[in-house]
């Protein structure tokens, strides 16, 4: 069982992914902003972070990814994005 942190501001997407991951036996924590995501990692590093690239209405997800890569270089990070434009 993995401890997975989902960082995304789309509540419906987070709910669906949380349900699917928990059904597979994983522990899931969630955050809806970059600040919440960084705080969650600092409180207890998860096994993997799944991060929305366009978080907080801009490219802040990329900024969080850079911070995590610098401060937690062995932490696996999966970036997601659904850009329509």
């Amino acid at each position: 069982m993995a401890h997975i942190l989902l960082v995304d501001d789309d509540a419906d997407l987070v709910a669906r992914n949380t349900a699917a991951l928990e059904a597979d036996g994983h522990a899931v924590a969630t955050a809806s902003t970059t600040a919440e995501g960084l705080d969650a990692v600092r409180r207890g590093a998860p096994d993997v972070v799944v991060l929305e690239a366009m978080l907080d209405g801009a490219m802040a997800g990329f900024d969080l990814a850079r911070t995590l890569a610098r401060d937690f270089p062995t932490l696996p990070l999966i970036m997601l994005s659904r850009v329509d434009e």
Side-chain angles (χ1 to χ4, degrees), residues 12-82:
D12 292 332
L13 183 68
V14 169
R16 286 191 307 269
N17 287 331
T18 297
L21 291 166
E22 288 178 343
D24 282 342
H26 301 290
V28 179
T30 65
S32 60
T33 67
T34 55
E36 289 175 5
L38 185 56
D39 286 344
V41 171
R42 287 182 173 157
R43 281 193 312 270
D47 297 314
V48 63
V49 174
V50 179
L51 171 62
E52 165 61 37
M54 304 301 281
L55 195 61
D56 296 339
M59 305 235 335
F62 289 104
D63 294 332
L64 178 56
R66 282 188 284 277
T67 298
L68 293 175
R70 183 190 66 229
D71 295 350
F72 303 90
T74 62
L75 177 62
L77 177 64
I78 298 170
M79 296 286 292
L80 300 176
S81 188
R82 184 181 69 172

